[in-house]
Amino acid sequence: MLSLTHPRKTPLHSVPASYKLLFLCVAATAMFAIATAPVAISVLLVVMAVYLMLGWDVAKRGASAARGFWPFVAVIAIWHAYSGDYEQGIVITARLLAAVSLANLVTMTTRLQDMIDCLSTVARPLRHVGISPKSIAIAIALVVRFIPEFLDRAERLSLAYRARSGRRASWRIILPLVFSALDDAEAVANALRARGGIER
């Protein structure tokens, strides 16, 4: 659902990470106050228009990153269709898609190091209660960094399962997916320890 930094520079790349993260928090909070379908759809269309204004390559990459979100959309749509509350289903779906798309846009236009620095600053007060702000910032940044890789690996495992069995992927890919994530986590932890750990 989230994407890595886009290689081509856009006007949003020059905006400080702190401004973009603050805007994301405010915008996402405001979106969940939307209660009518026309407003929710309008907000989603505005977000899509921002992608298109930044270039077709940015829009295409954003759409590709959003593919992992479609199962959630399908569940929401089916549930609200079953309950007969169509407008509420449209509102929830549009709000979630807009919020996730904005978050993806922030990660696409923000360097990982800039995000770590910003989050470290925000979490600095936690140092007084014995929590390392640097650790929190790096943990959040690593989650952002590995979500696209995790989704890509899930897709590759699904394709491999289908190629071997001739059926759609099932719950059987969950265990190797979890083990691969744990293996990656151990490799990252070893790399951080080899570099002296995380400064407090």
Side-chain angles (χ1 to χ4, degrees):
M1 298 174 200
L2 299 178
S3 182
L4 301 180
T5 307
H6 197 273
R8 182 177 65 80
K9 298 296 182 183
T10 68
L12 283 181
H13 279 77
S14 59
V15 178
S18 56
Y19 293 171
K20 285 184 282 191
L21 291 173
L22 178 60
F23 172 77
L24 177 62
C25 292
V26 173
T29 303
M31 282 178 196
F32 285 93
I34 297 173
T36 60
V39 176
I41 293 173
S42 298
V43 171
L44 178 58
L45 291 175
V46 169
V47 175
M48 294 171 62
V50 172
Y51 271 91
L52 291 172
M53 285 190 296
L54 293 175
W56 178 249
D57 55 336
V58 175
K60 185 177 179 181
R61 186 166 179 177
S64 177
R67 284 184 304 175
F69 191 67
W70 287 112
F72 299 98
V73 174
V75 170
I76 293 171
I78 292 171
W79 169 254
H80 283 89
Y82 173 76
S83 62
D85 193 357
Y86 300 105
E87 183 174 8
Q88 187 64 17
I90 293 172
V91 170
I92 293 175
T93 301
R95 288 188 311 195
L96 287 176
L97 282 174
V100 170
S101 298
L102 272 182
N104 183 56
L105 190 60
V106 169
T107 60
M108 285 177 63
T109 58
T110 308
R111 292 191 315 124
L112 193 60
Q113 186 58 50
D114 293 340
M115 195 172 294
I116 291 175
D117 293 340
C118 177
L119 294 172
S120 297
T121 302
V122 172
R124 192 171 295 167
L126 295 176
R127 184 177 297 170
H128 300 296
V129 293
I131 300 175
S132 170
K134 193 77 170 180
S135 300
I136 294 175
I138 289 181
I140 294 174
L142 285 174
V143 169
V144 172
R145 167 62 181 83
F146 278 103
I147 282 177
E149 174 64 27
F150 190 75
L151 292 175
D152 181 64
R153 186 171 302 167
E155 185 175 358
R156 282 187 275 123
L157 281 173
S158 298
L159 291 174
Y161 181 85
R162 184 181 299 179
R164 287 173 172 81
S165 66
R167 299 191 300 271
R168 294 179 62 86
S170 67
W171 57 269
R172 291 179 178 83
I173 71 168
I174 295 177
L175 197 58
L177 194 59
V178 169
F179 283 147
S180 69
L182 293 175
D183 188 55
D184 283 347
E186 184 177 4
V188 171
N190 289 334
L192 287 172
R193 280 194 292 268
R195 288 164 174 79
I198 301 174
E199 296 181 4
R200 301 181 69 87

